[in-house]
Amino acid sequence: MKDKLEALKAEALTKLQAVSDPQILNDLRVKYLGKKGELTEVLRGMGGLSAEERPVIGQVANLVRSAIEEVIGAKQELFQQQETQNRLNAEKVDVTLQGRGLPQGGIHPLSRVIQEIEDIFIGMGYQVAEGPEVETDYYNFEALNLPKNHPARDMQDSFYITEDILMRTQTSPVQIRTMQAMNGETPVKVICPGKVFRRDDDDATHSFQFHQIEGLVIGRNIRMSDLKGTLQQFMKEMFGPSAGIRLRPSFFPFTEPSVEVDVSCFKCGGEGCRLCKQSGWLEILGAGMVHPNVLRMGGYDPEVYSGFAFGMGAERIAMLKYGIDDIRYFYTNDMGFVKQFKGI
């Protein structure tokens, strides 16, 4: 058996040394070292050996296997080196060639405006609060002083999913949720950005989906003058240091008193132009002092605490700021429109 092993070793090494193809190398590896290979076949005869002969033959078999594996390993490494060199020769890269330029992206103008508004109010000490877009009738209307069958609901014709669940028509529900989560603690100072949904016909100034940003402040001795000062500072940072505001009486069920807030036209400086329709003012948002009923719904005693709230449409701000005349441009995926704002 020892002679068979030595003969097998000599035969295998001779054939392996002459191999010049990786596939033939693998075939020889299987032939000599595989489960059904020739070395295995020789070793099956060890059952007929004496106890003294088995260790000797086993040692010889291991030496034969090691010798064959060593030659195979060396050949495999050589083939790998040759393959790598061939690929390097075939895949040369001219590093002096000019690279391909990648198109530069930009932030969508609507996203930019929302981020800018958030940054302004965060700088005033506000926190950003968010809530679900699918809301209950309670949070969207009832807790905001709009009980069922209230006529003011007609101004917010809605997408109802069930009788009591709908797509929110405003981000005001986030204000109620925030108030309740505070458990009567103050101060409350948040802005609530997000998408809202109303059954509007799409045209140049209306969309069934748009973005709203609302603000809420609650504490002791909060007054209308605090609201005016806050909005005045916001307008100056958003539209420039010369921006002024005016308050006009209005009605909102969740604030009392309520006001419409206008900003002086930043295009003509209040002199009158096409943008402001010769009035010198641009309608920008609604605001007011938080209604006592809303304070109670949020867990605050209106005899002790007061607050103000305001709400604006992000699309309205963006359209005024960038001179966009159709709200539908924000949603039609027109790259020509978006690229105009790449460098802003």
Side-chain angles (χ1 to χ4, degrees):
M1 183 172 288
K2 183 178 179 181
D3 293 338
K4 286 185 179 181
L5 289 172
E6 292 294 344
L8 177 63
K9 174 184 174 182
E11 177 189 328
L13 295 180
T14 300
K15 291 185 177 181
L16 289 171
Q17 291 294 349
V19 169
S20 59
D21 183 87
Q23 183 59 49
I24 296 176
L25 179 66
N26 185 64
D27 293 342
L28 290 176
R29 180 188 63 80
V30 174
K31 176 181 179 181
Y32 291 112
L33 302 181
K35 291 182 178 180
K36 298 181 180 180
E38 294 185 14
L39 180 59
T40 303
E41 289 295 328
V42 173
L43 294 178
R44 284 177 181 170
M46 289 182 63
L49 299 177
S50 64
E52 293 80 8
E53 291 177 312
R54 286 179 187 172
V56 176
I57 298 303
Q59 185 177 9
V60 174
N62 288 335
L63 292 174
V64 172
R65 179 181 292 276
S66 298
I68 295 174
E69 288 178 343
E70 184 178 352
V71 175
I72 291 175
K75 282 286 186 178
Q76 287 176 333
E77 184 176 355
L78 177 62
F79 291 149
Q80 183 63 47
Q81 291 175 353
Q82 291 175 345
E83 181 183 357
T84 300
Q85 188 61 48
N86 291 337
R87 291 183 61 185
L88 289 174
N89 293 335
E91 299 176 7
K92 287 183 178 179
V93 176
D94 186 352
V95 295
T96 65
L97 287 175
Q98 184 176 358
R100 296 184 180 91
L102 296 176
Q104 181 183 0
I107 300 176
H108 191 281
L110 191 54
S111 298
R112 187 182 297 276
V113 165
I114 292 173
Q115 291 174 5
E116 188 174 352
I117 294 172
E118 289 178 348
D119 289 343
I120 291 171
F121 281 102
I122 289 173
M124 296 184 191
Y126 285 69
Q127 293 182 320
V128 177
E130 297 180 339
E133 295 177 1
V134 179
E135 263 295 0
T136 63
D137 186 89
Y138 170 79
Y139 281 111
N140 196 79
F141 289 126
E142 294 179 44
L144 295 168
N145 201 36
L146 281 161
K148 293 185 184 300
N149 301 319
H150 193 290
R153 288 196 181 202
D154 293 342
M155 295 187 297
Q156 298 187 25
D157 200 4
S158 314
F159 293 102
Y160 275 88
I161 298 172
T162 69
E163 186 175 342
D164 293 312
I165 298 176
L166 70 156
M167 303 299 292
R168 67 181 180 187
T169 62
Q170 53 199 352
T171 56
S172 301
V174 183
Q175 297 184 20
I176 289 293
R177 290 179 178 275
T178 300
M179 292 164 66
Q180 292 180 353
M182 292 291 290
N183 292 317
E185 296 182 4
T186 57
V188 177
K189 202 172 182 182
V190 296
I191 57 169
C192 314
K195 292 193 290 289
V196 298
F197 309 85
R198 299 182 186 178
R199 289 186 57 210
D200 270 331
D201 293 329
D202 282 2
D203 57 29
T205 57
H206 298 85
S207 174
F208 69 91
Q209 172 194 295
F210 57 98
H211 292 77
Q212 199 173 53
I213 301 176
E214 299 194 11
L216 173 69
V217 174
I218 296 176
R220 295 176 183 268
N221 302 316
I222 303 297
R223 298 167 295 182
M224 180 68 82
S225 58
D226 298 316
L227 169 63
K228 182 178 180 181
T230 297
L231 295 180
Q232 178 71 72
Q233 182 63 27
F234 166 71
M235 297 302 180
K236 288 182 178 296
E237 294 196 38
M238 194 71 195
F239 297 108
S242 62
I245 65 170
R246 72 176 182 183
L247 308 183
R248 295 180 288 109
S250 186
F251 167 77
F252 302 109
F254 26 80
T255 54
E256 181 60 38
S258 304
V259 293
E260 296 282 356
V261 182
D262 301 333
V263 63
S264 57
C265 181
F266 47 85
K267 185 174 182 180
C268 66
E271 296 296 325
C273 66
R274 180 173 175 273
L275 180 63
C276 62
K277 299 178 181 178
Q278 308 302 324
S279 69
W281 296 94
L282 299 167
E283 183 179 332
I284 206 82
L285 57 85
M289 301 302 292
V290 180
H291 197 287
N293 290 344
V294 177
L295 287 171
R296 291 190 189 94
M297 290 287 192
Y300 291 87
D301 185 351
E303 299 296 325
V304 178
Y305 300 102
S306 58
F308 64 76
F310 56 86
M312 66 190 84
E315 285 84 352
R316 171 68 172 164
I317 301 291
M319 291 173 74
L320 291 174
K321 188 176 179 69
Y322 297 128
I324 300 168
D325 58 7
D326 195 320
I327 193 174
R328 290 169 290 193
Y329 291 151
F330 291 121
Y331 308 115
T332 52
N333 298 322
D334 183 349
M335 292 304 297
F337 168 75
V338 175
K339 286 179 180 178
Q340 297 179 67
F341 304 91
K342 184 170 61 175
I344 294 178

